[in-house]
Amino acid sequence: MGDRWAVEVDRGVCIGSGMCVNHAPDGFALDSARQSHPATPETDANEKVLAAAEGCPVEAITITLIDSGEAVFPPEE
């Protein structure tokens, strides 16, 4: 069984660029205010969701491992 991720979008930081939807259309959506939100708050580890987080111009997306709470993105320094 693979890793499970918790995916969050800081809506106070999100600028609605839509890059997350471009990278992972099944993982993110924009609401009527053009704010991003994850399609589901928990997902299997997924390269497209990670690419969306990495490609967010304001780093509004965080991903953590559900089991341990360890940061996947942004990585802990």
Side-chain angles (χ1 to χ4, degrees), residues 5-8 46 49-50 53 61-65 70-74:
W5 289 347
V7 181
E8 296 181 26
N46 179 316
V49 170
L50 180 58
I61 302 168
T62 57
I63 303 170
T64 56
L65 291 172
E70 179 183 345
V72 174
F73 189 85

Side-chain angles (χ1 to χ4, degrees), residues 20 31-32 34 47 51-52 58:
C20 56
D31 63 19
S32 61
R34 292 203 46 84
E47 287 188 30
V58 293

Side-chain angles (χ1 to χ4, degrees), residues 15-75:
I15 61 171
S17 73
M19 294 299 294
C20 56
V21 177
N22 288 335
H23 285 288
D26 294 335
F28 296 90
L30 297 179
D31 63 19
S32 61
R34 292 203 46 84
Q35 293 288 293
S36 176
H37 57 88
T40 60
E42 296 181 4
T43 188
D44 291 329
N46 179 316
E47 287 188 30
K48 289 183 179 183
V49 170
L50 180 58
E54 292 172 338
C56 178
V58 293
E59 294 186 356
I61 302 168
T62 57
I63 303 170
T64 56
L65 291 172
I66 290 175
D67 289 341
S68 67
E70 179 183 345
V72 174
F73 189 85

